[in-house]
Amino acid sequence: MNLFPKLVVDDAGRAVEFYTTVLGLKETERFETPDGKIVHVRLVLGDVQLTLKDEDAVDAGPTALGLDRSPVIINLEVPDPDAVGSRMEAGGATVIYPIEDHPYGRMGRLRDPFGHVWILRLLDGG
């Protein structure tokens, strides 16, 4: 069984660049409409995978829905949340909660440029 998110974004091409750069994910498949809109792109790194698509008449992302935040939070455990958080910020993400040590581990929360919210947590959880 596999379970992975499909993120709906405004400008999936730019989102692919963001996620491959900041998270190191690799694009493994892509399907586009004749006019170049992405209907499906798969990004993977080890056991981590997510898919993306451009907003359309059926599916809207957070910004098209007029939301200033996503109703879903994506948890990502990484060996160095500070480095990943810095790359996300450099790519246009905004910090919701800075990455800091907590009794439940080193973690922080960021909103990516497409409105999706990520918790970055130290892989071993502390």
Side-chain angles (χ1 to χ4, degrees):
M1 181 182 309
N2 283 327
L3 176 66
F4 51 88
K6 181 164 203 145
L7 303 181
V8 180
V9 297
D10 177 24
D11 196 348
R14 190 167 65 94
V16 168
E17 289 179 38
F18 178 82
Y19 296 126
T20 57
T21 300
V22 304
L23 300 177
L25 297 168
K26 305 291 182 213
E27 183 178 329
T28 61
E29 65 184 11
R30 179 187 291 227
F31 301 102
E32 296 180 355
T33 62
D35 65 352
K37 291 288 187 181
I38 295 174
V39 294
H40 171 85
V41 62
R42 184 183 304 264
L43 304 173
V44 299
L45 179 63
D47 291 336
V48 174
Q49 64 178 315
L50 64 92
T51 59
L52 301 171
K53 71 170 291 201
D54 275 305
E55 296 176 328
D56 58 27
V58 176
D59 299 308
T63 53
L65 293 171
L67 302 175
D68 63 350
R69 69 190 81 123
S70 173
V72 175
I73 300 170
I74 304 162
N75 286 281
L76 182 63
E77 293 180 336
V78 295
D80 188 348
D82 296 275
V84 174
S86 292
R87 289 195 305 268
M88 287 182 76
E89 280 188 80
T94 55
V95 174
I96 299 170
Y97 300 115
I99 297 169
E100 298 175 337
D101 290 324
H102 299 275
Y104 40 85
R106 184 160 187 78
M107 60 193 314
R109 190 180 296 196
L110 294 97
R111 182 177 304 106
D112 71 26
F114 313 97
H116 295 284
V117 176
W118 297 74
I119 290 178
L120 300 178
R121 181 179 172 148
L122 183 62
L123 184 61
D124 65 11

